[in-house]
Amino acid sequence: MKNSNSSLSFLPASFILVGIPGLETEHIWISIPFCLMYLIIFLGNGTILHVIRKDAVLHQPMYLFLAMLAVAEVGVSVSTLPTVLGLFLFGNSEIHFEACLLQMFSIHSFSIMESAVLLAMSVDRFVAIHSPLRYTTILTLPRIFCTGAIIGLKSIVLMAPLPLLLRRLPFCGHNALSHSYCLHPNLIHLPCGDISINNIYGLFIVISTFGLDSLLIVVSYGLILHTVLGIANGEGRKKALNTCGSHVCAVLAYYVPMIGLSMVHRFGRHVSPLLQVMMANAYLFFPPVINPIVYSIKTKEIRRGIARMLSEKRSRV
């Protein structure tokens, strides 16, 4: 153990990652679906990023925001990969204290970015439907890149105090984590000191990011529906709503598991640990697995971009 200034307060040298409670002997088999998920995440999101970068037709606001979403999802997955595969493939259940704080910071920062990008995408859809003739003049490239920079900076600034607040707490020998990665809601239950400041700041982050983002997304879609209902042509209404289909799926894939996990952590103290772990895995892995598939199937321009990329590769061969 590493002693701090007080003899009664100390930080653990490392944390123990349990993974999936009750299935410790099945780690090799459990690693198979995780490896498949990582393969889909990196291949799917990597393909979308490559297609958007290479195809000039896709250098539009909608697809640039989609690229930001893919970067955030890959960031979350890269943050979890070392401990998840280390635990399930190689049986490495320990993570250094500082490495755990870094992983927690990375996972939550990219998650905040993901939520903010989904909000930006909802605003993009509103502008496209409400003011289609002014779409490219409102959402210019400098504004889009500025929005991406603000999202990244906001995520880092908001998350920076959390590792510092955790370091000031005494852990008193408690160092077992119920996941295969480090999450703040899990870490905050280990200290034996006063965690009121950590809880208040954690709640502030949740409300000012996920809470506010989800509220503004609902408002955006309220405005979109109001605009669509004002379109006289039924075919035009259908076409306008179809442009939002992929984004609605992405929002649901992100917020439904997140809300479920938050409810379990805050109100489900007597809920099975296995359910908590499965909810946490759904929150982190479901959106980056499903979103590339949804956008590839439902977005005509992405499909065409992938087809062009594949045809170019065949012609080179």
Side-chain angles (χ1 to χ4, degrees):
M1 296 293 180
K2 181 171 66 175
N3 292 327
S4 65
N5 294 333
S6 169
S7 60
L8 297 176
S9 171
F10 56 86
L11 301 176
S14 61
F15 289 108
I16 303 299
L17 301 169
V18 174
I20 300 181
L23 298 176
E24 289 81 3
T25 59
E26 308 296 331
H27 279 179
I28 292 296
W29 294 107
I30 294 171
S31 69
I32 296 174
F34 278 103
C35 288
L36 289 174
M37 283 191 291
Y38 279 121
L39 182 63
I40 294 170
I41 290 168
F42 295 133
L43 185 61
N45 286 287
T47 299
I48 285 179
L49 285 170
H50 180 71
V51 167
I52 293 173
R53 185 178 68 89
K54 296 288 286 185
D55 196 333
V57 176
L58 300 178
H59 294 174
Q60 301 177 37
M62 174 182 174
Y63 305 110
L64 294 176
F65 285 126
L66 176 58
M68 292 182 197
L69 182 66
V71 168
E73 291 177 340
V74 169
V76 171
S77 301
V78 168
S79 300
T80 62
L81 186 144
T83 53
V84 171
L85 296 189
L87 175 64
F88 293 128
L89 277 178
F90 307 108
N92 183 12
S93 61
E94 283 195 50
I95 179 172
H96 192 272
F97 181 82
E98 302 293 344
C100 186
L101 294 185
L102 177 61
Q103 185 180 54
M104 177 202 73
F105 174 83
S106 299
I107 291 173
H108 290 300
S109 293
F110 282 114
S111 295
I112 291 171
M113 290 181 199
E114 195 173 348
S115 175
V117 172
L118 287 171
L119 171 59
M121 293 174 80
S122 71
V123 174
D124 165 80
R125 290 300 82 209
F126 168 69
V127 174
I129 292 171
H130 185 266
S131 305
L133 299 179
R134 300 174 57 214
Y135 178 59
T136 54
T137 58
I138 294 173
L139 294 174
T140 60
L141 287 180
R143 285 177 180 169
I144 293 170
F145 291 132
C146 183
T147 300
I150 291 172
I151 288 172
L153 183 62
K154 182 189 81 168
S155 305
I156 292 170
V157 169
L158 281 174
M159 277 302 302
L162 275 186
L164 301 176
L165 289 172
L166 280 170
R167 284 186 58 83
R168 56 179 277 278
L169 293 171
F171 282 78
C172 309
H174 305 297
N175 68 339
L177 296 172
S178 57
H179 302 299
S180 50
Y181 35 75
C182 299
L183 295 177
H184 183 258
N186 194 192
L187 282 167
I188 202 62
H189 289 129
L190 299 183
C192 52
D194 182 12
I195 60 170
S196 56
I197 295 177
N198 298 65
N199 275 330
I200 291 170
Y201 187 71
L203 185 61
F204 166 74
I205 290 179
V206 170
I207 293 173
S208 63
T209 56
F210 307 114
L212 183 61
D213 291 347
S214 59
L215 175 62
L216 293 176
I217 288 172
V218 171
V219 171
S220 296
Y221 271 95
L223 294 173
I224 287 171
L225 285 174
H226 177 74
T227 303
V228 168
L229 291 175
I231 299 174
N233 186 350
E235 187 64 28
R237 285 199 294 265
K238 182 179 178 182
K239 184 178 179 181
L241 288 175
N242 280 342
T243 65
C244 301
S246 299
H247 180 256
V248 170
C249 292
V251 169
L252 293 176
Y254 180 80
Y255 279 104
V256 170
M258 186 200 71
I259 292 170
L261 178 63
S262 298
M263 298 293 286
V264 166
H265 272 302
R266 295 190 182 279
F267 305 109
R269 294 187 176 274
H270 303 294
V271 170
S272 165
L274 181 60
L275 177 61
Q276 294 187 28
V277 170
M278 297 308 292
M279 290 296 295
N281 287 332
Y283 163 58
L284 290 179
F285 290 99
F286 187 67
V289 167
I290 202 69
N291 284 342
I293 298 172
V294 168
Y295 274 96
S296 298
I297 293 173
K298 292 185 67 66
T299 308
K300 181 172 59 178
E301 289 78 7
I302 295 291
R303 289 201 309 271
R304 288 176 177 173
I306 293 172
R308 280 193 293 268
M309 181 186 70
L310 293 175
S311 65
E312 287 176 5
K313 287 188 176 181
R314 287 197 200 100
S315 62
R316 288 172 188 168
V317 174

